[in-house]
């Protein structure tokens, strides 16, 4: 990659890998290809889900609600998830085999109790910025490549926001794994291709 390109590694955390609280099937399989990509990239950013225990996206924080149910929040529909990636827990840590030393920046997201954040660029209200766009622009990045977990949620939303912000976007699907909730994987792939994102 040239210095105008960046690799965005999305949420390769224990809770999204095998045995985690919100396990993505075969999630740890993304680690080896991502480590190779990071070693070959000049600019690397990691995103990290970072939720307070009382986060409103957790099903158990709502009476009579169950995981994967959809609830209407002030910012729109929200999937209610099992409790995951809670601040200062092992589940929130990056997978131990991920070579995090290659990254220059970590973007934490979802730390506001009242709003979830799939994208590494914006929280789910689509207006509260994480600061990632400013960092990339300060480093003259024009093109971003995304990999990580999960392809149909956090990778997807990050890719769509990057495209909307004017970056050239590539998604390395072999270095991603999906949750595939009610057809969400196919819908995400179609939406990304329709948006002009290069899905490899």
């Amino acid at each position: 990659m040239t210095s105008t390109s960046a690799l965005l590694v999305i949420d390769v955390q224990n809770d999204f890998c095998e045995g985690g609280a919100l396990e993505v099937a075969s999630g740890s399989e993304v680690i080896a290809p991502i480590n190779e990509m990071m070693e070959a990239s000049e600019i690397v950013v990691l995103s990290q889900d970072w939720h307070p225990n009382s986060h409103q996206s957790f099903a158990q924080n709502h009476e009579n609600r169950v995981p994967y149910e959809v609830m209407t929040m002030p910012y729109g529909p929200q999937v209610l998830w099992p409790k995951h990636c809670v601040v200062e827990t092992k589940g929130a840590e990056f997978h131990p085999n991920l070579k995090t030393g290659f990254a220059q920046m970590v973007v934490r997201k979802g730390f506001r109790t009242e709003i979830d954040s799939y994208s590494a660029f914006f929280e789910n209200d689509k207006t509260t910025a994480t600061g990632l766009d400013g960092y990339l622009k300060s480093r003259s990045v024009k093109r971003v490549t995304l990999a990580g977990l999960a392809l149909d949620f956090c990778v997807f939303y990050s890719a769509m926001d990057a495209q909307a912000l004017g970056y050239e976007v590539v998604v390395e699907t072999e270095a991603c794994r999906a949750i595939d909730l009610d057809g969400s994987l196919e819908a995400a792939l179609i939406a990304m291709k329709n948006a002009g994102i290069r899905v490899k």
Side-chain angles (χ1 to χ4, degrees), residues 1-19:
M1 290 186 179
T2 68
S3 59
T4 59
S5 297
L7 174 64
L8 308 183
V9 178
I10 306 298
D11 300 0
V12 183
Q13 295 165 257
N14 289 324
D15 268 347
F16 296 127
C17 293
E18 293 87 340

Side-chain angles (χ1 to χ4, degrees), residues 75 77 92 100 102 150:
Y75 51 86
T100 58
F102 287 116

Side-chain angles (χ1 to χ4, degrees), residues 99-159:
K99 295 182 179 179
T100 58
F102 287 116
Q104 293 93 40
M105 185 182 185
V106 175
V107 176
R108 285 177 169 166
K109 58 190 182 64
F111 54 81
R112 294 175 176 88
T113 302
E114 302 299 324
I115 185 169
D116 206 4
S117 184
Y118 297 153
S119 171
F121 290 93
F122 293 100
E123 308 244 295
N124 285 4
D125 61 358
K126 303 295 186 186
T127 57
T128 303
T130 64
L132 176 56
D133 182 43
Y135 174 74
L136 295 176
K137 284 184 166 56
S138 76
R139 298 201 62 184
S140 303
V141 170
K142 307 293 184 188
R143 179 177 184 265
V144 294
T145 298
L146 290 92
L149 305 169
L151 176 57
D152 45 341
F153 282 92
C154 295
V155 173
F156 166 65
Y157 281 88
S158 299

